[in-house]
Amino acid sequence: MPDLLVVGSVALDSVATPFGAVREALGGSATFFSYAASFFTGVRLLATVGEDFPREHLDLLRGRGVDIASLQVSKGRTFRWAGEYGYDLNEAKTLDTQLNVFADFKPVLAPELRRIPYLFLANIDPALQLDVLHQMDERPRLVALDTMNFWIRGKREALGRVLAEVDVVTINDGEARELAGEPNLVRATRAIAAMGPKTVVVKRGEYGALMFSDGAFFMVPAYPLDSVFDPTGAGDSFAGGFVGYLAATDRVDAPAMRQALVYGSVIASFAVEDFSLNRLIRLTRQEIDERYDAFGDLTRLEASPR
Amino acid sequence: MPDLLVVGSVALDSVATPFGAVREALGGSATFFSYAASFFTGVRLLATVGEDFPREHLDLLRGRGVDIASLQVSKGRTFRWAGEYGYDLNEAKTLDTQLNVFADFKPVLAPELRRIPYLFLANIDPALQLDVLHQMDERPRLVALDTMNFWIRGKREALGRVLAEVDVVTINDGEARELAGEPNLVRATRAIAAMGPKTVVVKRGEYGALMFSDGAFFMVPAYPLDSVFDPTGAGDSFAGGFVGYLAATDRVDAPAMRQALVYGSVIASFAVEDFSLNRLIRLTRQEIDERYDAFGDLTRLEASPR
């Protein structure tokens, strides 16, 4: 049985950046997550697409070993998102959102999914995230979730309930400040941990990531890239590397969490080098391990000779 | 003979942040630099103040062992700067600048200053920076300079000439992009190194610092602070810790440069905890060393068990 289940969105993204554009490319939080995690472990993908979803995309996921038995094809059109980025690639401007079949997504876990030990609740309605968690027959060893400002503003109460039950939350820095109502990021991070998750991972785009876990901070810089083409999916690729690594090693202790944060950063650093999944499609495990070591070199420090 | 010479400004700063305000507090690039460096090594301060400069400030510097024999008292008033910060403490809004005696500052090196092995050219007119460097009888072992957007825009040609002759430049991220004419910070940093300095240190405020030195990147996160009171002087305190440490150890090899970058970050992290020099005045060497170790913990990573 695969080790890791992700519930989220599969979408067709139209993205424009100063460096190019794609139309109706494969996207969605669960897509990036599962593709990224597949470098480390078996992944099951629970999501919905419309009848128009291209077969080649299914083949692509299947080719990476992603289990798409629970990827439901619903009557209607696939979720579509269109956005653009300026030279400040930290913030997308949404041009169009067509939820289509995703509007009626009510994830139902097949019996064989209810004992999977690692669960990632990608960025969907927190009420659905909680419902998925409650469908599990056994409390997973690790439950992580991602969320965004849309739910922080519109579903705060439901978000609070699911946060109280998860182990890890991944969130952008701006969203962390908004969720905590606190401009200082250190205090915001601690405040979110007090809402329930023992581990808070804050994604800071070109500034890397920080993790507050068991009372200690850990910081990973962003990899120094000459070119960032498209940040779409970076956060979900990050989460896929992070949770995928933990599931693969079946460890959730502090050193493993740190390694996982670096693997997440590694995968995200590749994801942004091209549009859609294009860079991940060309990615090899050897490249991942080499960049992991390069991340280590970026911050390696000798003790002071005092 | 002291190991380190700094040439720059001594000022009286009036600063307002969301957390409080000070009027005519001790400030200036050479002040923060020399006070910070004094935790590591002997420092000589070459600057100018007016007849109105409070004696208590001189006593404060002298009390830290800063050599102020070349701090000239000129006829007129001391340089004054007034600025304010919003909740985004990354950017100061200048409310008032009165150059006063600083407008006519023409640094002249006394003979005993012309063979000092470590030289920091704080943020002054690049033509003066070059003039100081050319007054040295012997090329120092290390020359570092700081600059800002005012000189990048107004004195680009002079700045290019002095950059070609220094070893280290410290610069903000926005200014690095502007100097290089390149939005990507990695490419901007490399482009600045190509202008002359073997080592480029980019200060990123709440996101820490990066260094490009001898072809390799090194990243230091900002220390996770619960409260940042006043970022004024953080960059110069950073430079004081950085160059002060190098001068104290008399090493400029790659591991020492990395340690120095962390010591710079340590001092800056203290400097922002209070207005003016107030936190540095209460600072002990033991606190510095403890925070150095805490910085190491922030990024400590085990090799991946693959």
Side-chain angles (χ1 to χ4, degrees), chain B residues 16 70 81 84 97 102 109 138 216 238 240 248 252 256 265 276 280 287 296 303:
Chain B
S70 292
W81 179 80
E84 69 179 9
T97 303
F102 190 60
L109 272 62
E138 234 172 58
F238 177 95
V252 294
S265 304
S276 182
L280 298 186
E287 286 178 306

Side-chain angles (χ1 to χ4, degrees), chain B residues 229-249:
Chain B
F229 264 81
D230 176 14
T232 308
D236 297 303
S237 303
F238 177 95
F242 181 83
V243 184
Y245 176 77
L246 292 173
T249 56

Side-chain angles (χ1 to χ4, degrees), chain B residues 7-9 29 102 105 107 122-126 128-129 132 146-147 151:
Chain B
V7 183
S9 64
S29 60
F102 190 60
F105 182 45
N123 175 27
I124 58 175
D125 185 328
L128 294 182
Q129 291 177 319
V132 168
D146 188 63
T147 192
W151 309 118

Side-chain angles (χ1 to χ4, degrees), chain A residues 106-126:
Chain A
K106 295 276 179 300
V108 176
L109 272 62
E112 69 271 21
L113 300 182
R114 296 181 196 154
R115 290 172 177 272
I116 288 183
Y118 290 84
L119 173 62
F120 184 68
L121 303 164
N123 174 28
I124 58 174
D125 185 328

Side-chain angles (χ1 to χ4, degrees), chain B residues 7-250:
Chain B
V7 183
S9 64
V10 172
L12 297 174
D13 288 347
S14 297
V15 178
T17 81
F19 314 109
V22 286
R23 274 191 56 77
E24 306 215 336
L26 180 56
S29 60
T31 310
F32 280 104
F33 179 92
S34 59
Y35 204 92
S38 74
F39 288 97
F40 301 94
T41 191
V43 196
R44 294 213 195 200
L45 170 58
L46 173 49
T48 186
V49 293
E51 297 154 311
D52 60 346
F53 192 69
R55 164 178 295 273
E56 70 203 65
H57 295 340
L58 300 176
D59 293 341
L60 183 74
L61 292 166
R62 222 185 268 113
R64 275 284 334 150
V66 176
D67 181 332
I68 55 172
S70 292
L71 177 59
Q72 183 190 330
V73 179
S74 307
K75 203 171 162 65
R77 276 160 60 84
T78 300
F79 176 24
R80 277 165 174 77
W81 179 80
E84 69 179 9
Y85 298 84
Y87 279 96
D88 176 2
L89 293 165
N90 284 325
E91 190 107 35
K93 184 179 162 198
T94 291
L95 300 175
D96 188 31
T97 303
Q98 299 172 22
L99 291 176
N100 298 328
V101 298
F102 190 60
D104 300 314
F105 182 45
K106 293 277 179 302
V108 176
L109 272 62
E112 68 272 21
L113 299 181
R114 295 181 198 156
R115 290 170 176 272
I116 288 184
Y118 290 83
L119 172 63
F120 184 68
L121 303 164
N123 175 27
I124 58 175
D125 185 328
L128 294 182
Q129 291 177 319
L130 191 64
D131 183 62
V132 168
L133 183 52
H134 288 173
Q135 289 180 50
M136 301 298 286
D137 284 338
E138 234 172 58
R139 211 294 180 172
R141 205 158 304 146
L142 185 95
V143 181
L145 79 72
D146 188 63
T147 192
M148 70 181 297
N149 45 22
F150 183 76
W151 309 118
I152 294 169
R153 286 168 204 167
K155 295 270 186 146
R156 180 173 283 269
E157 198 266 334
L159 180 57
R161 274 184 291 131
V162 67
L163 280 174
E165 295 199 29
V166 304
D167 304 297
V168 179
V169 58
T170 67
I171 190 166
N172 288 339
D173 48 359
E175 291 162 355
R177 291 183 168 100
E178 185 167 353
L179 176 57
E182 164 62 56
N184 178 283
L185 191 61
V186 173
R187 285 199 270 202
T189 304
R190 284 212 192 89
I192 294 168
M195 296 174 190
K198 205 176 71 162
T199 300
V200 179
V201 172
V202 180
K203 301 171 287 181
R204 306 166 99 184
E206 66 167 312
Y207 301 109
L210 69 81
M211 177 170 70
F212 181 71
S213 188
D214 272 334
F217 279 95
F218 177 61
M219 308 268 199
V220 179
Y223 193 74
L225 291 173
D226 267 349
S227 306
V228 174
F229 264 81
D230 176 14
T232 308
D236 297 303
S237 303
F238 177 95
F242 181 83
V243 184
Y245 176 77
L246 292 173
T249 56
D250 200 15

